Amino acid sequence: MASFALHGIGVSRGIAIGRAQLVSHATLEVAHYTVPASRIEAEVARFDHAVKDVQRELESLHGAMTAGDAPAEFGAFLDVHWMILNDPTLAEAPRRIIAEQRCNAEWALVQQMNVLVEQFEQIEDPYLRERKADVVQVVERVLKRLLGKPGPLAPASAEQHTIVVAHDLSPADVIQFKGHRFAGFLTDLGGVTSHTAIVARSLNVPAVVATHNARQLIRENELLILDGTHHVVIVNPDKSVLAEYRLRQQELELERAKLRRLKFKRARTLDGCDVDLCANIELPGDLAQALDVGVDGIGLFRSEFLYLNREGLPGEDEQFEAYRTVAQGMAGKPVVIRTFDLGADKQAAALEGLTRVAPNPAMGLRAVRFCLAEPRLFLTQLRAILRASHYGTVKMLVPMLASVAEIDQTLAIVAQAKEMLREQGVPFDPGIEIGGMIEVPAAALAISSFLTKLDFLSIGTNDLIQYTLAVDRSDDAVSHLYDPLHPAVVKLIAMSIGGADKAKVPVAVCGEMAGETRMTRLLLGLGLRNFSMHPSHLLAVKQRVLTTDLTTIRPIVARMRRTEDPAKLVALLDRLNA
Ligand code: PEP
Ligand code: MG
C-alpha cells in the first residue's frame, strides 16, 4: 500500500500511531445500496421502525416539556416536528421509493427530503419557507435512528490503537468520545479554536483538523501516524518512518514525566510573583484530570455541555448535582461556572427550533443573548448554580456580554433567583461573585461599566479574536487569518488587563491563548496573574512561569504594546521566549 502524507492543523499536540476507524456523520454521508427483492419488506419495516421510534421520542420530549418549566414555544416546535413526521409525504413516500428503486431506507428518506426541501424553497412566505429547516431536522432524527450515531465504534479493547477519521464532527459528537480511549483523531474540517478542537484537546490525545480530504483518501483499518505537533498525518508509513516516530513518542513520554514533577510546585516567577493556574472543564467527569495536575481552581466550567447529546433539557436538580460535584471536588478552591453558552456551533437538540435558523449563528442569539431571550431557562440554571454555591467557592461567569443593558438584565435575573431561593429557605452563598467574559471587542473598548458592575473578568480570547478579526473560528477556509498576535488583538487584551488592574478587579484569561506556552510571557508581562486552560497544558505553562523574570520581560512587552507592525510583534515575541 502506498504511503502518503496529509497536512492539516494540529490542534492537540503529540504523536498517535494506530489504525484508522472511519466515522460517519448521519447528515453528511448517507450510503446508497441496492436491496434484494427478498429484503424489501424488511427494509420498509426498518424504516417504519425508525419513524415509530422518533414519534415516541418526540412524544416523550413533549411530555417532559409540559411537566417541566420549559417555555411553551418548545412544545409548539415539537408539535411541528411531529406533524411533519406523520405527514404521508415523509412517513409514506420513502416506503414507496424503497420498493420501487430497491434501495436502502436512508437513501429513500434523503431523496424524499430533497424533494420536500425544493418545494419549500418555492414558497414565497419567508416564515413558511424557513420550515424546510424543520423538515431537515426531522429527517436527521430518523437518520440517526437508522444509522446509529456516530456509527459503531471500535470495541474498547482496540480503541487505544484506533485513530478516529471523520469528515466533520460537532462538539456534541466529540464529547461522546470522552468515555472512550482512542489514540487520536482527525477531521477534514475545523479550525484551531473551534469547539470541536477544544473538546478534542480535552480528550488529551493528538488531533489534526482541516485535512480537507482525509475521510475520502484514508481507508478503514489503514495504519496512520498522526503528529499533532507538526500538523501532519502519514498514511501507511514504511518501517523506518514508523521506527522513527515510535522513538519520538518515547521522547515525548519522557518529557511529560519530567513535567509531572512540577505538580506540587507553586507557580511563581523568578522574581517572586505568584500566578494562579486553573483548569477549563466541560463536564464534571473532567475534574479528575484537573486535580491530577494540581490546579489552583476551575477557571471555566463550560456548563452548556450538560445540554448537549441528550433529549430534553437538564432540570434544576440535575444541574445542581453536576455543579455541586465540581464545587465539592475542588474542596474550597474556586470554581467558575459559566452560564450556558449555547448557539453557534453548540446546538442542544431540545433547543433546535429556537437557535438554529439564524442566518449568522455566531452573531445571533448565542450565549447570554439566548439566556436573556429565554429567561425561564436562564433562571433554572441560575438557581442551580446558586444552590451549588453553598457547597464550595462557586463563582458565576456570563459569556459574550457586549453592553451595560445585558449586564443589568443578567444581574436582575440573578437577584430574582436569589429572592426565590431565600423565600424557599434554600441555602446559597449570598456574596457569590459574578463575572463577565470579555469576548466581544465592544466589551474591551467600553470596559468601565464591566469594572463597576461585575466582581471579576475573564478574557475569552477564542471569541475575542474571532469577533475582532471577523474570522469564523470554526472555518478552516479562513484559519490562516486567525491571528492571536494581530496588533488589534494584543491591544484589546492589554487594555482589558490594564483596565482591570487599575480598578483592582481580578482578571483571568480562559481562552486557548492561556494554555499556549509561547504566549505565557506576553500575558505575564501585560499583568495577567490568573490563567485558565485545559489541564493537559498546565504543567508546561507552569514551567514557563517558573523560568520567567518579570523585570526582564516588561520592557519587551511594553514595546509589543506600542507597535502595530506584525513582523516586529513576532520578532519581539521570539525575544520573550528566547
Ligand atoms: C473563549 O471564547 O475564549 C472561551 C473561553 O469560550 P469558548 O471557547 O467556550 O467560546
Ligand atoms: Mg467564547
Side-chain angles (χ1 to χ4, degrees):
M1 274 178 286
S3 173
F4 60 96
L6 292 168
H7 296 266
I9 307 171
V11 294
S12 185
R13 299 163 78 82
I15 293 167
I17 300 173
R19 299 273 164 193
Q21 180 172 8
L22 307 188
V23 169
S24 295
H25 200 286
T27 51
L28 292 175
E29 300 162 36
V30 168
H32 179 197
Y33 51 89
T34 315
V35 176
S38 60
R39 300 261 326 136
I40 292 294
E41 219 172 289
E43 193 63 13
V44 171
R46 195 166 74 88
F47 172 74
D48 287 345
H49 230 90
V51 171
K52 285 233 162 57
D53 277 350
V54 175
Q55 274 170 351
R56 272 196 294 268
E57 188 180 305
L58 290 175
E59 280 156 15
S60 77
L61 264 179
H62 201 287
M65 294 278 160
T66 22
D69 54 1
E73 294 89 326
F74 290 168
F77 274 105
L78 290 173
D79 286 342
V80 170
H81 283 200
W82 198 88
M83 267 159 26
I84 292 172
L85 183 63
N86 285 284
D87 194 279
T89 53
L90 209 66
E92 291 294 327
R95 307 173 89 230
R96 204 189 55 244
I97 297 174
I98 295 171
E100 280 172 10
Q101 299 186 16
R102 292 193 182 171
C103 65
N104 53 315
E106 294 88 347
W107 186 254
L109 179 60
V110 169
Q111 281 203 60
Q112 182 61 13
M113 176 188 81
N114 291 338
V115 171
L116 291 176
V117 165
E118 215 163 281
Q119 287 172 2
F120 271 94
E121 271 162 5
Q122 312 296 331
I123 299 177
E124 267 188 32
D125 181 288
Y127 176 79
L128 286 178
R129 198 166 55 235
E130 276 315 314
R131 290 313 98 215
K132 72 172 185 249
D134 293 300
V135 173
V136 173
Q137 282 164 18
V138 170
V139 168
E140 278 178 355
R141 271 188 195 273
V142 181
L143 280 174
K144 277 183 213 168
R145 287 282 155 179
L146 285 167
L147 288 167
K149 196 189 157 201
L153 295 169
S157 57
E159 281 172 7
Q160 289 176 24
H161 310 287
T162 299
I163 293 175
V164 174
V165 182
H167 178 64
D168 189 19
L169 293 167
S170 70
D173 292 333
V174 181
I175 207 112
Q176 286 187 331
F177 295 152
K178 283 209 179 196
H180 300 262
R181 291 183 52 79
F182 294 110
F185 88 76
L186 72 110
T187 62
D188 290 343
L189 304 183
V192 69
T193 59
S194 62
H195 284 101
T196 305
I198 290 171
V199 184
R201 258 194 296 279
S202 81
L203 299 176
N204 220 4
V205 293
V208 173
V209 302
T211 53
H212 297 292
N213 46 10
R215 179 66 177 74
Q216 256 182 328
L217 296 176
I218 295 172
R219 272 168 295 170
E220 189 78 18
N221 231 19
E222 277 185 315
L223 186 62
L224 307 178
I225 296 173
L226 189 153
D227 184 344
T229 313
H230 297 100
H231 317 279
V232 71
V233 181
I234 301 166
V235 187
N236 296 317
D238 61 35
K239 272 195 182 136
S240 59
V241 173
L242 195 59
E244 193 187 314
Y245 271 94
R246 288 211 192 279
L247 198 69
R248 276 201 222 166
Q249 229 179 1
Q250 283 168 6
E251 284 166 4
L252 285 174
E253 199 36 61
L254 276 178
E255 272 173 40
R256 253 197 294 263
K258 264 196 225 160
L259 279 180
R260 293 203 57 77
R261 292 187 211 137
L262 300 179
K263 173 175 172 181
F264 296 108
K265 216 170 160 62
R266 178 78 183 112
R268 182 172 292 149
T269 61
L270 288 170
D271 39 0
C273 185
D274 280 346
V275 177
D276 285 333
L277 301 181
C278 300
N280 294 353
I281 62 168
E282 277 103 35
L283 292 169
D286 299 335
L287 197 58
Q289 204 190 341
L291 291 170
D292 197 40
V293 291
V295 288
D296 296 315
I298 299 299
L300 175 68
F301 178 176
R302 289 184 163 99
S303 70
E304 62 276 6
F305 280 89
L306 296 173
Y307 290 71
L308 304 182
N309 288 324
R310 57 179 297 145
E311 281 147 12
L313 299 165
E316 182 182 315
D317 286 346
E318 187 183 334
Q319 289 188 54
F320 161 64
E321 291 299 341
Y323 305 146
R324 182 175 64 170
T325 303
V326 178
Q328 287 180 327
M330 289 307 293
K333 288 184 179 166
V335 174
V336 177
I337 301 174
R338 171 169 76 186
T339 57
F340 63 81
D341 180 4
L342 288 165
D345 61 343
K346 287 175 289 193
Q347 299 288 343
L351 304 174
E352 262 171 17
L354 289 175
T355 55
R356 187 171 277 181
V357 202
N360 192 344
M363 296 207 184
L365 207 55
R366 192 196 145 182
V368 70
R369 302 173 179 182
F370 177 69
C371 289
L372 294 175
E374 297 295 335
R376 286 170 68 185
L377 272 177
F378 198 19
L379 202 56
T380 303
Q381 180 177 40
L382 295 178
R383 284 173 52 101
I385 297 175
L386 285 167
R387 283 169 61 191
S389 70
H390 182 64
Y391 299 88
T393 311
V394 172
K395 306 180 188 198
M396 214 184 263
L397 178 65
V398 187
M400 226 188 143
L401 289 165
S403 65
V404 192
E406 285 165 343
I407 301 177
D408 289 341
Q409 285 171 43
T410 302
L411 294 178
I413 299 182
V414 174
Q416 191 187 343
K418 282 183 174 177
E419 197 45 47
M420 285 165 79
L421 292 176
R422 230 175 254 127
E423 273 168 21
Q424 292 166 346
V426 180
F428 64 93
D429 171 9
I432 185 171
E433 290 186 15
I434 301 170
M437 290 190 77
I438 305 292
E439 304 193 275
V440 182
L445 291 166
I447 204 164
S448 55
S449 46
F450 284 69
L451 295 170
T452 48
K453 289 174 186 269
L454 296 165
D455 299 310
F456 67 98
L457 302 180
S458 191
I459 308 173
T461 48
N462 306 334
D463 277 315
L464 187 61
I465 298 168
Q466 154 164 279
Y467 294 124
T468 304
L469 304 180
V471 172
D472 186 333
R473 62 195 266 195
S474 60
D475 184 353
D476 70 298
V478 286
S479 62
H480 60 292
L481 300 173
Y482 190 93
D483 179 11
L485 208 59
H486 190 292
V489 172
V490 173
K491 243 182 223 182
L492 290 172
I493 295 172
M495 279 170 60
S496 307
I497 298 174
D501 270 354
K502 219 165 163 191
K504 299 204 171 7
V505 172
V507 58
V509 168
C510 65
E512 295 304 291
M513 198 187 268
E516 280 179 43
T517 48
R518 211 171 115 77
M519 294 295 190
T520 308
R521 288 185 179 151
L522 169 59
L523 294 171
L524 284 170
L526 291 174
L528 191 74
R529 299 292 177 263
N530 189 322
F531 294 62
S532 192
M533 69 203 83
H534 185 263
S536 63
H537 297 145
L538 194 135
L539 294 175
V541 170
K542 191 186 274 189
Q543 189 181 41
R544 192 51 65 113
V545 172
L546 289 166
T547 55
T548 298
D549 182 29
L550 290 175
T551 33
T552 319
I553 63 164
R554 272 196 195 109
I556 307 174
V557 173
R559 286 177 62 191
M560 291 182 78
R561 291 186 64 163
R562 284 194 299 268
T563 185
E564 285 190 7
D565 175 351
K568 219 176 192 174
L569 270 169
V570 173
L572 287 166
L573 189 72
D574 287 343
R575 265 187 64 191
L576 271 185
N577 287 315

